[in-house]
Amino acid sequence: MKAEARDLIAAMPLPAVLIRWDERIDAANSEAVALLGEGLEERHFITVLRQPVLLDAIEGTLRDGAPRKTRYLTSDGRQDTTFDVACRAVTLDRGPGVLLTFADVTQMEQAGQMRRDFVANVSHELRTPLTALLGFIETLRGPAREDAVARERFLEIMGNEAGRMERLVGDLLSLSRLEAEERVRPTEPVDLPELLRSVLSGLAPVAEEAGVALIPELPGDVLEIAGDADQLRQVVVNLVENAVKYSGRGAQVTLRLSEPAYHPRLRAEGVEIEVIDTGPGFDPLHIPRLTERFYRVDSHRSREMGGTGLGLAIVKHIVNRHRGRLRIESTPGKGSTFRVILPLRAAPPRGEDA
């Protein structure tokens, strides 16, 4: 029976541990050894599984034979990990035992935490303008009812706050659509130089008002890639507009498009769109988190500028959909460079190498 039990435990795809009636570990598979360490067999389970909730579950199942489920928390050296542990009573040659199986639910826990964080962030972003709107409405109904000057000022602020909520909802809807389409590679031909010139033309009034010079460095010939013109326009508008807003008066923003060349990161021929500014820059430690939803280098200034905190997250999803790469460089006092690398051609048919 013992050989059969060992074979059964070894064949399980999840980490599995068999505990005898004398509270010693009878067998453990290789997955359990990788999780809990070497030399498990014949050790008392308390010396291996030291977490009180798990020990209570094992002792309870040994005592009454009822199945139990609990959690086991550990670390793989890179991150905290969470396992669902099932305790099930089994019958061995000389008495009862308990079979433990460990199911890794770390990714599910992380996804759940991301959802909770996302809801909390959205609620926070909406609460501020909603609170402002409710406060101004109450004031306009009361003390400022007959104050024309205050009424005009409050209405302007209310319009700005409502616009901010509208932009936030619009960006959330854009993210939702992008996530739904992210695995579908766009294939329509897009003339990049023409698209970039159109973006610069549209943002010229914004740059002039901000006192920022827009400098194009674009090839004169047609340069087509496979893509979604509207989404690529959204990427460039977002990057150039951010550079204009945050560079400060007297700065320069250069929009550069490279000639086609082989890019090792793509393992294919591609082009680079670069947005280079001479603004204040920021600490590179922020770069890994810049494309997270609602992450801001300077949250107060971003809100003042009308930012939703979702722009670079949208850029990342669009670039991913085009099978491209986004690279960010910045040095405090020396400006920033946002580089989008895009492949020239659509993905090959399924079954061929990319």
Side-chain angles (χ1 to χ4, degrees):
M1 178 65 181
K2 186 164 185 176
E4 293 177 357
R6 287 178 179 277
D7 290 344
L8 183 62
I9 297 296
M12 289 185 175
L14 298 177
V17 175
L18 183 61
I19 300 172
R20 296 193 304 257
W21 63 92
D22 61 358
E23 301 186 346
R24 298 281 172 175
I25 294 176
D26 192 62
N29 63 7
S30 58
E31 289 80 5
V33 171
L35 175 63
L36 303 171
E38 300 282 348
L40 297 179
E41 292 186 15
E42 299 304 323
R43 290 175 61 183
H44 196 288
F45 71 83
I46 290 179
T47 65
V48 175
L49 307 166
R50 301 173 181 273
Q51 298 181 17
V53 291
L54 179 53
L55 301 180
D56 290 344
I58 296 169
E59 290 169 353
T61 300
L62 275 174
R63 183 175 59 252
D64 59 23
R68 286 174 170 79
K69 194 171 184 178
T70 186
R71 284 285 173 93
Y72 180 74
L73 307 177
T74 183
S75 172
D76 63 5
R78 296 171 299 167
Q79 62 177 356
D80 293 335
T81 53
T82 304
F83 290 84
D84 275 345
V85 185
C87 304
R88 296 292 184 269
V90 295
T91 301
L92 303 175
D93 287 343
R94 296 177 56 189
V98 176
L99 176 64
L100 306 181
T101 54
F102 296 74
D104 190 346
V105 294
T106 303
Q107 290 188 347
M108 293 174 59
E109 286 291 300
Q110 290 173 341
Q113 186 60 49
M114 287 175 64
R115 284 193 296 271
R116 290 189 291 272
D117 291 345
F118 179 69
V119 170
N121 282 325
V122 171
S123 301
H124 175 73
E125 293 292 332
L126 287 173
R127 180 180 298 155
T128 302
L130 278 173
T131 301
L133 286 172
L134 291 172
F136 286 126
I137 289 171
E138 184 178 349
T139 303
L140 289 172
R141 284 174 171 171
R145 181 189 297 270
E146 305 299 332
D147 189 337
V149 175
R151 184 167 61 244
E152 288 300 316
R153 183 164 59 89
F154 290 164
L155 286 173
E156 182 180 356
I157 297 173
M158 290 167 68
N160 291 336
E161 295 296 339
R164 178 179 160 194
M165 285 194 293
E166 183 181 34
R167 288 191 297 274
L168 177 59
V169 171
D171 282 352
L172 288 171
L173 290 173
S174 291
L175 268 177
S176 179
R177 287 193 296 269
L178 285 168
E179 288 176 341
E181 298 174 345
E182 192 162 356
R183 295 185 181 277
V184 181
R185 173 73 184 271
T187 58
E188 295 299 317
V190 179
D191 182 3
L192 272 183
E194 180 60 30
L195 184 145
L196 299 185
R197 280 190 286 269
S198 173
V199 169
L200 288 177
S201 177
L203 291 178
V206 177
E208 185 177 354
E209 183 178 352
V212 174
L214 290 180
I215 302 174
E217 293 185 6
L218 310 174
D221 299 332
V222 172
L223 176 54
E224 287 189 346
I225 70 166
D228 183 311
D230 290 337
Q231 290 186 357
L232 291 175
R233 182 184 302 275
Q234 192 174 5
V235 166
V236 182
V237 167
N238 187 296
L239 295 179
V240 174
E241 194 171 33
N242 280 352
V244 168
K245 285 180 179 178
Y246 300 115
S247 290
R249 189 167 293 275
Q252 293 182 346
V253 174
T254 301
L255 180 59
R256 178 183 298 158
L257 177 62
S258 71
E259 295 289 345
Y262 179 82
H263 287 270
R265 291 185 182 276
L266 300 177
R267 291 185 294 176
E269 196 174 18
V271 294
E272 284 186 0
I273 301 172
E274 293 178 283
V275 178
I276 308 163
D277 67 63
T278 59
F282 51 84
D283 195 315
L285 67 85
H286 294 286
I287 291 176
R289 300 193 60 192
L290 276 182
T291 56
E292 292 180 14
R293 297 174 185 187
F294 300 111
Y295 185 82
R296 297 175 172 96
V297 174
D298 184 342
S299 58
H300 178 69
R301 188 180 179 200
S302 175
R303 289 190 179 94
E304 280 188 344
M305 296 286 190
T308 63
L310 296 172
L312 287 178
I314 290 173
V315 166
K316 181 189 73 172
H317 280 286
I318 293 174
V319 172
N320 286 346
R321 187 189 176 211
H322 286 75
R323 308 301 188 267
R325 300 290 186 271
L326 174 65
R327 294 292 175 262
I328 304 171
E329 300 171 7
S330 188
T331 303
K334 295 185 178 180
S336 307
T337 298
F338 288 77
R339 183 177 293 108
V340 175
I341 308 171
L342 298 170
L344 283 182
R345 284 173 287 278
R350 185 173 296 178
E352 296 183 17
D353 291 334

PDB file of all heavy atoms in Angstrom, residues 308-324:
ATOM      1  N   THR A 308      -5.903  62.716 -16.759  1.00  0.00           N
ATOM      2  CA  THR A 308      -6.689  61.699 -16.070  1.00  0.00           C
ATOM      3  C   THR A 308      -5.815  60.622 -15.440  1.00  0.00           C
ATOM      4  O   THR A 308      -6.311  59.800 -14.671  1.00  0.00           O
ATOM      5  CB  THR A 308      -7.659  61.009 -17.057  1.00  0.00           C
ATOM      6  OG1 THR A 308      -6.894  60.331 -18.058  1.00  0.00           O
ATOM      7  CG2 THR A 308      -8.583  62.016 -17.703  1.00  0.00           C
ATOM      8  N   GLY A 309      -4.530  60.591 -15.775  1.00  0.00           N
ATOM      9  CA  GLY A 309      -3.660  59.538 -15.264  1.00  0.00           C
ATOM     10  C   GLY A 309      -3.757  58.250 -16.058  1.00  0.00           C
ATOM     11  O   GLY A 309      -3.188  57.232 -15.665  1.00  0.00           O
ATOM     12  N   LEU A 310      -4.475  58.282 -17.199  1.00  0.00           N
ATOM     13  CA  LEU A 310      -4.668  57.080 -18.007  1.00  0.00           C
ATOM     14  C   LEU A 310      -4.000  57.169 -19.374  1.00  0.00           C
ATOM     15  O   LEU A 310      -3.978  56.178 -20.120  1.00  0.00           O
ATOM     16  CB  LEU A 310      -6.169  56.805 -18.202  1.00  0.00           C
ATOM     17  CG  LEU A 310      -6.962  56.474 -16.941  1.00  0.00           C
ATOM     18  CD1 LEU A 310      -8.453  56.421 -17.246  1.00  0.00           C
ATOM     19  CD2 LEU A 310      -6.501  55.160 -16.345  1.00  0.00           C
ATOM     20  N   GLY A 311      -3.473  58.329 -19.717  1.00  0.00           N
ATOM     21  CA  GLY A 311      -2.951  58.545 -21.068  1.00  0.00           C
ATOM     22  C   GLY A 311      -1.865  57.569 -21.472  1.00  0.00           C
ATOM     23  O   GLY A 311      -1.916  56.961 -22.541  1.00  0.00           O
ATOM     24  N   LEU A 312      -0.858  57.382 -20.612  1.00  0.00           N
ATOM     25  CA  LEU A 312       0.245  56.490 -20.975  1.00  0.00           C
ATOM     26  C   LEU A 312      -0.172  55.022 -20.898  1.00  0.00           C
ATOM     27  O   LEU A 312       0.402  54.183 -21.598  1.00  0.00           O
ATOM     28  CB  LEU A 312       1.454  56.752 -20.083  1.00  0.00           C
ATOM     29  CG  LEU A 312       2.202  58.056 -20.380  1.00  0.00           C
ATOM     30  CD1 LEU A 312       3.351  58.256 -19.408  1.00  0.00           C
ATOM     31  CD2 LEU A 312       2.720  58.081 -21.817  1.00  0.00           C
ATOM     32  N   ALA A 313      -1.159  54.707 -20.073  1.00  0.00           N
ATOM     33  CA  ALA A 313      -1.692  53.340 -20.071  1.00  0.00           C
ATOM     34  C   ALA A 313      -2.352  53.044 -21.414  1.00  0.00           C
ATOM     35  O   ALA A 313      -2.204  51.945 -21.976  1.00  0.00           O
ATOM     36  CB  ALA A 313      -2.693  53.160 -18.931  1.00  0.00           C
ATOM     37  N   ILE A 314      -3.073  54.028 -21.956  1.00  0.00           N
ATOM     38  CA  ILE A 314      -3.695  53.871 -23.274  1.00  0.00           C
ATOM     39  C   ILE A 314      -2.620  53.731 -24.344  1.00  0.00           C
ATOM     40  O   ILE A 314      -2.710  52.873 -25.235  1.00  0.00           O
ATOM     41  CB  ILE A 314      -4.618  55.066 -23.563  1.00  0.00           C
ATOM     42  CG1 ILE A 314      -5.849  55.011 -22.647  1.00  0.00           C
ATOM     43  CG2 ILE A 314      -5.043  55.097 -25.032  1.00  0.00           C
ATOM     44  CD1 ILE A 314      -6.741  56.231 -22.739  1.00  0.00           C
ATOM     45  N   VAL A 315      -1.578  54.556 -24.272  1.00  0.00           N
ATOM     46  CA  VAL A 315      -0.470  54.461 -25.228  1.00  0.00           C
ATOM     47  C   VAL A 315       0.132  53.063 -25.196  1.00  0.00           C
ATOM     48  O   VAL A 315       0.380  52.443 -26.246  1.00  0.00           O
ATOM     49  CB  VAL A 315       0.606  55.518 -24.905  1.00  0.00           C
ATOM     50  CG1 VAL A 315       1.899  55.226 -25.662  1.00  0.00           C
ATOM     51  CG2 VAL A 315       0.108  56.913 -25.257  1.00  0.00           C
ATOM     52  N   LYS A 316       0.379  52.533 -24.006  1.00  0.00           N
ATOM     53  CA  LYS A 316       0.993  51.203 -23.889  1.00  0.00           C
ATOM     54  C   LYS A 316       0.122  50.141 -24.557  1.00  0.00           C
ATOM     55  O   LYS A 316       0.630  49.285 -25.288  1.00  0.00           O
ATOM     56  CB  LYS A 316       1.192  50.855 -22.415  1.00  0.00           C
ATOM     57  CG  LYS A 316       1.843  49.489 -22.201  1.00  0.00           C
ATOM     58  CD  LYS A 316       1.835  49.081 -20.750  1.00  0.00           C
ATOM     59  CE  LYS A 316       0.441  48.675 -20.300  1.00  0.00           C
ATOM     60  NZ  LYS A 316       0.425  48.082 -18.950  1.00  0.00           N
ATOM     61  N   HIS A 317      -1.196  50.199 -24.327  1.00  0.00           N
ATOM     62  CA  HIS A 317      -2.082  49.188 -24.907  1.00  0.00           C
ATOM     63  C   HIS A 317      -2.115  49.291 -26.433  1.00  0.00           C
ATOM     64  O   HIS A 317      -2.149  48.267 -27.138  1.00  0.00           O
ATOM     65  CB  HIS A 317      -3.492  49.340 -24.333  1.00  0.00           C
ATOM     66  CG  HIS A 317      -3.655  48.721 -22.981  1.00  0.00           C
ATOM     67  ND1 HIS A 317      -3.735  47.363 -22.789  1.00  0.00           N
ATOM     68  CD2 HIS A 317      -3.738  49.274 -21.752  1.00  0.00           C
ATOM     69  CE1 HIS A 317      -3.870  47.105 -21.500  1.00  0.00           C
ATOM     70  NE2 HIS A 317      -3.871  48.244 -20.849  1.00  0.00           N
ATOM     71  N   ILE A 318      -2.121  50.510 -26.951  1.00  0.00           N
ATOM     72  CA  ILE A 318      -2.133  50.672 -28.413  1.00  0.00           C
ATOM     73  C   ILE A 318      -0.835  50.146 -29.016  1.00  0.00           C
ATOM     74  O   ILE A 318      -0.845  49.434 -30.034  1.00  0.00           O
ATOM     75  CB  ILE A 318      -2.352  52.151 -28.793  1.00  0.00           C
ATOM     76  CG1 ILE A 318      -3.765  52.602 -28.386  1.00  0.00           C
ATOM     77  CG2 ILE A 318      -2.144  52.355 -30.292  1.00  0.00           C
ATOM     78  CD1 ILE A 318      -4.025  54.080 -28.597  1.00  0.00           C
ATOM     79  N   VAL A 319       0.291  50.487 -28.395  1.00  0.00           N
ATOM     80  CA  VAL A 319       1.584  50.010 -28.898  1.00  0.00           C
ATOM     81  C   VAL A 319       1.643  48.481 -28.829  1.00  0.00           C
ATOM     82  O   VAL A 319       2.119  47.824 -29.757  1.00  0.00           O
ATOM     83  CB  VAL A 319       2.739  50.653 -28.102  1.00  0.00           C
ATOM     84  CG1 VAL A 319       4.078  50.024 -28.491  1.00  0.00           C
ATOM     85  CG2 VAL A 319       2.781  52.161 -28.356  1.00  0.00           C
ATOM     86  N   ASN A 320       1.123  47.904 -27.747  1.00  0.00           N
ATOM     87  CA  ASN A 320       1.092  46.447 -27.639  1.00  0.00           C
ATOM     88  C   ASN A 320       0.243  45.832 -28.747  1.00  0.00           C
ATOM     89  O   ASN A 320       0.593  44.790 -29.314  1.00  0.00           O
ATOM     90  CB  ASN A 320       0.544  46.021 -26.281  1.00  0.00           C
ATOM     91  CG  ASN A 320       1.532  46.241 -25.156  1.00  0.00           C
ATOM     92  OD1 ASN A 320       2.715  46.475 -25.401  1.00  0.00           O
ATOM     93  ND2 ASN A 320       1.061  46.183 -23.933  1.00  0.00           N
ATOM     94  N   ARG A 321      -0.896  46.462 -29.040  1.00  0.00           N
ATOM     95  CA  ARG A 321      -1.763  45.926 -30.085  1.00  0.00           C
ATOM     96  C   ARG A 321      -1.041  45.932 -31.439  1.00  0.00           C
ATOM     97  O   ARG A 321      -1.267  45.062 -32.275  1.00  0.00           O
ATOM     98  CB  ARG A 321      -3.048  46.739 -30.169  1.00  0.00           C
ATOM     99  CG  ARG A 321      -4.048  46.106 -31.130  1.00  0.00           C
ATOM    100  CD  ARG A 321      -5.249  46.949 -31.419  1.00  0.00           C
ATOM    101  NE  ARG A 321      -6.068  46.280 -32.421  1.00  0.00           N
ATOM    102  CZ  ARG A 321      -6.821  46.895 -33.306  1.00  0.00           C
ATOM    103  NH1 ARG A 321      -6.901  48.216 -33.323  1.00  0.00           N
ATOM    104  NH2 ARG A 321      -7.514  46.199 -34.191  1.00  0.00           N
ATOM    105  N   HIS A 322      -0.190  46.909 -31.661  1.00  0.00           N
ATOM    106  CA  HIS A 322       0.573  46.995 -32.912  1.00  0.00           C
ATOM    107  C   HIS A 322       1.864  46.172 -32.854  1.00  0.00           C
ATOM    108  O   HIS A 322       2.684  46.257 -33.776  1.00  0.00           O
ATOM    109  CB  HIS A 322       0.899  48.458 -33.233  1.00  0.00           C
ATOM    110  CG  HIS A 322      -0.282  49.242 -33.725  1.00  0.00           C
ATOM    111  ND1 HIS A 322      -1.293  49.668 -32.896  1.00  0.00           N
ATOM    112  CD2 HIS A 322      -0.619  49.664 -34.962  1.00  0.00           C
ATOM    113  CE1 HIS A 322      -2.202  50.327 -33.610  1.00  0.00           C
ATOM    114  NE2 HIS A 322      -1.808  50.333 -34.864  1.00  0.00           N
ATOM    115  N   ARG A 323       2.029  45.390 -31.785  1.00  0.00           N
ATOM    116  CA  ARG A 323       3.219  44.553 -31.585  1.00  0.00           C
ATOM    117  C   ARG A 323       4.489  45.384 -31.567  1.00  0.00           C
ATOM    118  O   ARG A 323       5.545  44.964 -32.038  1.00  0.00           O
ATOM    119  CB  ARG A 323       3.330  43.457 -32.670  1.00  0.00           C
ATOM    120  CG  ARG A 323       2.073  42.617 -32.847  1.00  0.00           C
ATOM    121  CD  ARG A 323       1.665  41.889 -31.580  1.00  0.00           C
ATOM    122  NE  ARG A 323       0.583  40.946 -31.839  1.00  0.00           N
ATOM    123  CZ  ARG A 323      -0.725  41.231 -31.692  1.00  0.00           C
ATOM    124  NH1 ARG A 323      -1.096  42.450 -31.281  1.00  0.00           N
ATOM    125  NH2 ARG A 323      -1.641  40.326 -31.922  1.00  0.00           N
ATOM    126  N   GLY A 324       4.359  46.596 -31.010  1.00  0.00           N
ATOM    127  CA  GLY A 324       5.502  47.496 -30.944  1.00  0.00           C
ATOM    128  C   GLY A 324       6.103  47.545 -29.556  1.00  0.00           C
ATOM    129  O   GLY A 324       5.796  46.729 -28.677  1.00  0.00           O
TER     130      GLY A 324
END
